[in-house]
Amino acid sequence: MTTPEDMSHAMLLAILMHHGGSLTLPAEAFEPDALGGRDGSWHAVAMELQPDGTVRLAVRPRPDGDTGGITHEP
């Protein structure tokens, strides 16, 4: 079974590889309020298949609870 950590890593690698192996971001992209909520939790990522066959990665607020709203739909 793929873990959330594995999927996070895979999404990051896919983004980087699509952009030639690297991507330059402003330092502000790593500020706490850009990465998560005020409670210290990280934002979640949704991976959505698009009608044209592409995949959209989108930030989602993380729901309360230990599982963080993780779902998998084949």
Side-chain angles (χ1 to χ4, degrees), residues 2-71:
T2 303
T3 66
E5 293 84 0
D6 291 339
M7 285 304 299
S8 232
H9 189 78
M11 284 183 244
L12 172 61
L13 289 175
I15 291 167
L16 291 173
M17 293 305 292
H18 182 74
H19 288 277
S22 66
L23 185 63
T24 302
L25 300 172
E28 295 82 29
F30 293 94
E31 290 182 0
D33 61 342
L35 298 175
R38 291 183 180 177
D39 65 355
S41 65
W42 299 95
H43 290 314
V45 176
M47 193 164 52
E48 305 161 344
L49 184 59
Q50 301 299 295
D52 64 358
T54 59
V55 176
R56 174 182 288 150
L57 300 179
V59 174
R60 295 286 186 263
R62 183 177 298 280
D64 293 335
D66 292 337
T67 62
I70 296 167
T71 59

